[in-house]
Amino acid sequence: MSPDNNAPADLELELGERSYHILIGDGLLASTGQHIKPLLNYPRTIIITDKNVEEHCLHTLERSLSEAGIRHHTLVLPPGEQTKDFPHLIKLVDQLLAAGIDRRTMLIAFGGGVIGDIAGFAAAITLRGLDFIQIPTTLLAQVDSSVGGKTGINLGHGKNLIGAFHQPRLVLADIAALDSLPRREILAGYAEIVKYGLINDPEFFAWCEANGKALVDGNRNVRRYAVSYSCTTKANFVAEDECEGGKRTLLNLGHTFAHALESEAQYDNRLLHGEAVAIGCVLAFKLSARLGLCSERDGERVSKHLLSVGLPVSLAAVADATWTVQRLVGHMIKDKKVVDGNLVFVLARRIGDTFICHEASLDDAAAVLGDALKT
Ligand code: GLY
């Protein structure tokens, strides 16, 4: 994979009869119709998107489908994490049924992680399962959430607590679609890119240190390389462990902390998922250092890089006076990653060398959170 290669990347996620391609390139949206037509049972689709994406690039997708002779109907949801709830899911399924779908209708999830998760979950449960395609339009969705089949919604008890593994039939990531994203959204996606280096590839982390600023500033070659690298890495993890019985858990680096922060922020706009992941990764390295597993210097290097591109790394900076260790720990113990009452953390021996730990105590996690709330 070369950063200077202009041809679209065509990756395959191998899952037997549920294998699918991940296409990554500049301007791919305009040729969506020709890419998806061979996958359709008949030339009709339902697009599920949000208000922001509708304004910026829905017309390009709709034109491409029309040019390929594919009929389409669009359902538009409100943007933001708060859309990932039961009332919006019920309304969406209702609208799908009202639109006259049948079991062979293809859905298109066209948007960021929220749209991918709720549309994918609607596809998983409506009429006992519909095919769907992911067309991710945010960096976070392109490098993480659109690949691997995790779908779902949030509950008052926590993030993504209702859902299903339901693989898409195709992922189509247009790098040009990222141009209209606010810098804050790019940064949130960038945190998930850095995560891949932290998990098992120190050389990729060093690549991030050298290229992160160019990526955030809008260099399309660098963005395309990072999206291709991330999808290749994720596809390998998912192909080995689709339902997160083992190795895929490593992709949750920083997420036990991150989900607690998002729950405490009530999924509002003050903390995007990727921002919570950036802080969560720093906390995971702090916990690793506290347990004597990892040098403090590695954690400092992680913080320094995330901060240098403009990501938040300090819990104290995003928390308000109502946030307490007790409340955050309360969220953590409701997470999906609790096994038999024990928290599961992804911890680090060094940058690029992480492992799944069932033994970290709640007291150690609480101590790390307590320090982070103060500094
Ligand atoms: N976002 C982590 C995963 O899909 O497994």
Side-chain angles (χ1 to χ4, degrees), residues 144-145 147-148 150 192 195 234 238 244 248 251-252 255:
D144 181 32
S145 58
V147 174
K150 280 189 182 174
E192 296 278 8
K195 185 190 77 178
K234 180 146 187 192
V238 174
E244 203 172 288
R248 184 170 178 170
L251 297 177
N252 296 329
H255 282 61

Side-chain angles (χ1 to χ4, degrees), residues 314-333:
S314 155
L315 176 54
V318 298
D320 64 37
T322 63
W323 292 33
T324 60
V325 171
Q326 210 176 13
R327 287 183 61 84
L328 293 174
V329 168
H331 294 305
M332 281 162 84
I333 56 184

